[in-house]
Every structure is written in structure tokens, then in C-alpha cells.
Amino acid sequence: MKKINLKLWRDIRQQKWQFTALVVIILLGVLSYGGMMGMIDDVEASLDHTLDELRFQDFVVTLEGTAPESVVQDVAGVENVQAVTGRLVMDAGLDISEDNQARARLVGMPTAAQPAVNQLYIQEGRYLQEGDGLVAVVDHHLAEYYGYGPGTVLHPIVSGERIDVEIVGVAVSPEYLMAVASAENVLPLPSGFAVLFMPQAEVQSLFGAEGKINELNVLLGNRPPGDVDRAIAQVEEALGSTPVRSVVK
């Protein structure tokens, strides 16, 4: 045996506890890394399943102002567009208490059935139904923070008027896996941002925009980056003179 190997074994015997501790630390590091990688894979698989099951959009087109609901049909005819949903989405205030206000996003939704794009996973209560008035399915972040549930009445403020909206359901939305209002507000704020999914006709009536939408959620058949970019260009072309504020993949 070479002298260097003899010296190595002698050093190990003399410092066996330090050597054992070092081996244990290395093994723990390897096991922790393997566990984290497995967890990441599980989270990604769960996220992909959620987005597929709830038919999450490939991109959203936000209009400058509003447009007639008929533009949905123009976009639906674009090659590679599998489904499209047109919504009126408006922000308002929300009275939580006398000294506490939050930001509310009122999202117009169909009542006959869930939308073709960006569906909701209902945790409590029910989805919207035909004949519903001022009711909402509320995003779970706010509901969990304040303990809200079906039967709770919320108070959005629209054009300075405080209105009553009853919660009929609590849901998870693929659009709001975190309670973030926009790209400019990157920190989740479950106590200060509420998403209320309401009958489209009610949202339109509240804002004097009957038959109008300001957002298009688009789901594609093929999703490679080149196909998505091509579809965006074709959708903007199909919208013609309708002004587009932004497109977000």
C-alpha cells in the first residue's frame, strides 16, 4: 500500500468522529437534493394536471376599452384556436369593514355552464346558474383569509355605490393560483385582493356595458412557441379595427 494511502487511513482512524460526521453531512445533502428534485417534479406534474383539467388559457388579449361580444366568433375562427371565452373584467373597491377596504376584480362568467377556457374548481357551494342575480363565486384566497363561505354577503363599490353580492361558491382559479392583481403587484395579498366571478350580464349591467367585453381568453390546439406567436398575430388580425391594449402568454 502506498505511503499516502497509509497516511490517509491513519488520519481517518485518528479523526474517526470528524470523518463520520462529514460522511453523514454529505449523505444528508444528497438525500435532501434528491427529495427536493422529486418534490419539484411532483409540483410540476400537479400544476400541469390542474391547468389541463381547468383548460387554462395559452394567452389573454386585453382590449383597449370594450368591444361587442361578437368579436369572440371572429377569434374562434382563427386557425389553431381550440376555444375562446370573452369576458368583461372590471376592478372595483370592496368594503371589508368600516376601516378596511380591498381591491375587487369582478369577472363576468357564463351561467349556463362553465366557460370553455379558464374553468373554476369549486371547493364549496356551487357554480353560477341561469337566473342568478348579484351573486358570485369567490376566489379561495380571500375566503380562507376572512373565513367567508356560501351565504356571506360582500360589498363591492361600483361607481361610488355600495352593492350587495352574495357568495354562492368558493373556488380555485388557474389564473389566480396566487392572490396577485397584476405583474406590477408581485407580492401575494390575500387580505387585500378579491376575485369575484359573477354572471356576465350582471357585470355588464353594473358598468353600463351591456353586450360588451374587454378580454379574450384563448386556448390553442398546438402550443409550441412558434405556433403561439403565430396564433397571437392571427388573432390580432382577426380583431381588425378593435384596439388591443396587451397580449400576455
Side-chain angles (χ1 to χ4, degrees):
M1 184 178 292
K2 294 182 179 180
K3 289 184 178 180
I4 190 170
N5 291 334
L6 288 172
K7 183 178 184 304
L8 176 62
W9 282 112
R10 185 171 63 249
D11 290 344
I12 290 174
R13 286 197 300 270
Q14 290 175 351
Q15 303 179 57
K16 58 183 177 181
W17 296 117
Q18 293 93 326
F19 179 77
T20 301
L22 181 61
V23 171
V24 170
I25 289 171
I26 292 172
L27 287 174
L28 288 174
V30 172
L31 290 172
S32 297
Y33 176 79
M36 285 190 294
M37 292 305 296
M39 181 179 67
I40 290 171
D41 290 341
D42 289 343
V43 169
E44 288 181 345
S46 176
L47 179 61
D48 289 342
H49 178 72
T50 299
L51 299 185
D52 286 341
E53 286 292 309
L54 299 178
R55 298 175 63 81
F56 183 55
Q57 64 197 16
D58 287 294
F59 60 90
V60 55
V61 179
T62 301
L63 305 179
E64 190 70 54
T66 60
E69 290 179 309
S70 58
V71 299
V72 172
Q73 299 306 316
D74 298 331
V75 174
V78 171
E79 181 185 1
N80 194 27
V81 170
Q82 185 182 110
V84 57
T85 296
R87 311 187 305 193
L88 184 68
V89 180
M90 303 294 285
D91 283 359
L94 181 69
D95 260 345
I96 300 295
S97 64
E98 288 186 3
D99 56 356
N100 185 11
Q101 279 200 350
R103 178 179 178 180
R105 177 157 298 161
L106 311 186
V107 181
M109 301 284 277
T111 54
Q114 290 234 22
V117 186
N118 293 340
Q119 296 182 354
L120 303 177
Y121 174 75
I122 304 297
Q123 288 184 316
E124 294 181 61
R126 63 171 176 85
Y127 182 69
L128 305 173
Q129 297 176 353
E130 290 281 11
D132 277 343
L134 287 174
V135 302
V137 175
V138 67
D139 175 68
H140 71 105
H141 293 99
L142 186 87
E144 291 169 0
Y145 188 89
Y146 289 110
Y148 295 159
T152 301
V153 177
L154 300 181
H155 306 286
I157 302 171
V158 178
S159 301
E161 182 182 353
R162 187 173 185 263
I163 61 175
D164 296 338
V165 176
E166 181 183 352
I167 295 176
V168 296
V170 177
V172 175
S173 165
E175 298 175 87
Y176 298 98
L177 294 179
M178 294 190 297
V180 176
S182 67
E184 290 74 30
N185 300 281
V186 296
L187 295 178
L189 190 62
S191 64
F193 177 58
V195 185
L196 279 60
F197 300 95
M198 299 175 60
Q200 177 104 298
E202 294 295 333
V203 179
Q204 291 169 335
S205 177
L206 286 173
F207 291 91
E210 287 80 357
K212 300 292 183 65
I213 60 171
N214 61 0
E215 185 178 283
L216 294 156
N217 312 115
V218 182
L219 181 68
L220 301 178
N222 299 314
R223 301 173 181 172
D227 290 343
V228 175
D229 291 338
R230 190 177 305 110
I232 289 173
Q234 292 173 339
V235 165
E236 290 181 321
E237 183 179 352
L239 287 171
S241 60
T242 302
V244 173
R245 176 183 298 174
S246 65
V247 179
V248 179
K249 299 180 189 178

